[in-house]
Amino acid sequence: MLMQHGEGWGTAATRGVCVMSATPGGEFRRVVNSDLEPVAVVAQCLDNQWVPRELLGSMLRHGRSLGHAKIADARLRAVRHEYLRALLNSQQVIINRAFFLNNNAVYQDFQQSGVAREAFKALLGSSVIIPYLYKETGLVQEQQFTVQPRGEQAWREVVDDVGTGSCLRLSWDEDENTRLTRLKLQTTFHRHLLNMATFEAEPLQRDFHLDEEGARQLQARLRDVARWALDSDTLTRESFYEAFVVAEGTDPAEGKYDRTKAFAGELKQLSDLKYNSALADALSRYPMTPADSLDRTALQEGRLISRGRAVSADELLRMLQQQAFTLIQKPLHVGFTGLELDHVRRARETDEWTLYKDSLLYLLREPERLLETPEEFTSRGQDVYDRYVSLAGRLGAIVGERRGNAADRWQPIVKMSIHTLGSVISVMFDNEPHVEVAGEVADHIAAEASKAVVRFAVVGRDRRRAGKQLETSVDLMQVKFDRTRDEWHGLVRRLREAGFATHGPDGPREDDATLNAPDESQDTGTG
């Protein structure tokens, strides 16, 4: 069954304990969005249809399904990598209950006794890992989705063994939960498909590396999707897949994507991104977009939302001009080779992780005030960089000696990027700070006022290896433009005048794993 979750949004109603039906012990605290930590994430990688872009291309070329041995092995490694990255970089990871029962990347840790199981128990019991419930009221009750018997049995046992923790729903009032599920998930996805008719060609060309004719053809296909959605009374991602993505007569859960269906891969990526942003948006928390996946800006949502007030281009320019990140770190032998859940758990218990978390929270809470004193912003940004690099070094020591291959040589730098519809300006603070510009501002906002998202990230210099390295990022604030295209070009010009060399990107922007900002334009209840 493809639709394994009904993600949405919480209210403060009917809190208490989440009783483990048919289980002799264990009571988990019922929580809602207002109980979550500020940097709680929903990891897209755990979706049973998520596939890295490169692997998706291979599947389409060779006609291979998700069940093909080579595809399954490669995908499991990618999912595992992103899952561990989410647990390392965020305060909490929200996981659909289904994934504990049917996703091997998750249940492999608690399937049998040992260090990994103890690590999982510790993270679950301390509410670092938070199970999300769709309509269920208990963590181990009967379900209507496909499960792996090994995962189901192991989950029952580990829940009983842990006994305490937290579990999350949209609302603990049944009627309210049903209403919010429909409004915040099903209706949101339906509206996204309808809005595909308005997508601009220039962003599509950049996001999918198409020529002008290819972008126009994709636009036409998106209008086909919108017409189909307009005529659909009961629309689900499963029915969308059947119409536009998978081979005729196949179960969408098998993942046999049909390259003879026009732009099947592109449509899949756009729908998956929206589908997996829903829960985080509704909770006013972060959807964690994996490396080698579309960036949130590909959804062309018409507005880009971040916390706090929008700053002016002048304020942003002043901040960027005064950055002085030291960046003296030598290459670190830190990657994901040999990394396991217990290593992440132990890293989270170190002073280095606490300092990293505190420095990140400071930026999230005070970005506007820091803009008024750019020197302090420089200091705080340097703190995030230094503390994340220290955490990476500590993690490497915890994992121990591994193969000294090139993929594990992590050279961290700071990147500040400004994202609007169709274009990204990235300021790279390495040995020779420079600006990279990708894309062009979408036509429909060219002469209008808009807001762009400013993102702070610590990434590797070699972004081609983003899928095998550490990195962290967070959307900090908004920048406001009165006439978007004119001011956008003006910002690029003034950065150049300030001494930043400017050129095109060295690689695709979507290679960066991101903590995307929530959509705060929605009513978030108690969030």
Side-chain angles (χ1 to χ4, degrees), residues 162-175:
V162 172
T164 60
S166 301
C167 54
L168 173 72
R169 274 209 338 178
L170 318 188
S171 171
W172 293 97
D173 176 84
E174 291 301 321
D175 292 339

Side-chain angles (χ1 to χ4, degrees), residues 445-451 480-487:
I445 62 167
E448 298 179 3
S450 71
K451 295 176 182 178
K480 60 184 178 184
F481 299 110
D482 292 323
R483 286 182 60 85
T484 301
R485 183 170 291 172
D486 291 346
E487 294 189 47

Side-chain angles (χ1 to χ4, degrees), residues 138-391:
L139 291 177
V140 297
Q141 68 190 65
E142 295 301 318
Q143 55 280 321
Q144 298 180 352
F145 50 81
T146 303
V147 302
Q148 296 292 330
R150 292 173 298 177
E152 182 180 25
Q153 181 60 33
W155 175 241
R156 287 179 175 273
E157 293 173 356
V158 78
V159 164
D160 186 43
D161 201 8
V162 172
T164 60
S166 301
C167 54
L168 173 72
R169 274 209 338 178
L170 318 188
S171 171
W172 293 97
D173 176 84
E174 291 301 321
D175 292 339
E176 183 76 349
N177 187 64
T178 298
R179 186 185 70 83
L180 293 175
T181 297
R182 181 180 65 255
L183 177 65
K184 297 299 180 182
L185 302 173
Q186 298 163 0
T187 301
T188 296
F189 185 69
H190 195 171
R191 187 179 300 118
H192 162 69
L193 297 184
L194 293 172
N195 289 342
M196 283 184 171
T198 67
F199 274 34
E200 295 275 346
E202 287 175 306
L204 292 173
Q205 186 175 346
R206 178 178 64 86
D207 292 328
F208 294 105
H209 311 298
L210 301 171
D211 57 23
E212 290 184 8
E213 178 58 25
R216 284 194 292 269
Q217 291 176 5
L218 178 52
Q219 267 189 308
R221 188 59 167 166
L222 293 175
R223 288 192 289 270
D224 291 340
V225 172
R227 283 190 289 270
W228 172 85
L230 187 62
D231 295 334
S232 298
D233 295 327
T234 55
L235 187 151
T236 64
R237 187 171 66 156
E238 185 173 39
S239 63
F240 167 77
Y241 263 51
E242 290 171 342
F244 294 98
V245 178
V246 299
E248 295 295 333
T250 64
D251 185 343
E254 296 174 9
K256 189 171 180 57
Y257 311 130
D258 188 352
R259 67 176 181 177
T260 68
K261 291 185 174 180
F263 296 103
E266 288 82 357
L267 297 181
K268 168 183 162 51
Q269 291 175 70
L270 287 170
S271 64
D272 288 352
L273 180 57
K274 184 63 177 182
Y275 184 82
N276 284 289
S277 300
L279 177 58
D281 281 353
L283 296 172
S284 292
R285 294 305 187 270
Y286 294 95
M288 189 163 189
T289 307
D292 198 20
S293 293
L294 279 182
D295 187 85
R296 177 70 180 266
T297 56
L299 295 178
Q300 300 191 28
E301 292 163 305
R303 62 192 181 281
L304 296 172
I305 305 299
S306 187
R307 287 181 168 85
R309 71 174 177 88
V311 303
S312 69
D314 287 339
E315 289 175 302
L316 177 63
L317 180 66
R318 185 174 73 252
M319 179 190 74
L320 293 174
Q321 285 176 315
Q322 298 195 27
Q323 297 310 298
F325 296 108
T326 306
L327 306 180
I328 60 174
Q329 192 70 41
K330 294 180 180 180
L332 298 173
H333 291 276
V334 178
F336 279 81
T337 306
L339 186 66
E340 298 295 347
L341 186 66
D342 186 58
H343 300 141
V344 173
R345 179 195 64 80
R346 291 164 59 190
R348 290 179 62 98
E349 294 176 349
T350 64
D351 292 339
E352 287 84 352
W353 189 87
T354 300
L355 291 171
Y356 154 69
K357 180 259 297 180
D358 290 345
S359 66
L360 189 62
L361 289 176
Y362 196 102
L363 278 182
L364 284 171
R365 289 169 180 160
E366 302 289 344
E368 294 85 10
R369 188 179 67 79
L370 292 176
L371 276 171
E372 298 171 2
T373 54
E375 296 81 4
E376 186 174 0
F377 187 92
T378 293
S379 174
R380 293 297 176 178
Q382 185 72 51
D383 281 348
V384 175
Y385 172 85
D386 289 340
R387 292 173 179 184
Y388 193 68
V389 170
S390 294
L391 173 62

Side-chain angles (χ1 to χ4, degrees), residues 92-106:
Q92 294 173 311
V93 178
I94 300 160
I95 300 178
N96 187 317
R97 185 181 80 103
F99 301 147
F100 296 106
L101 284 68
N102 60 25
N103 193 322
N104 187 33
V106 178

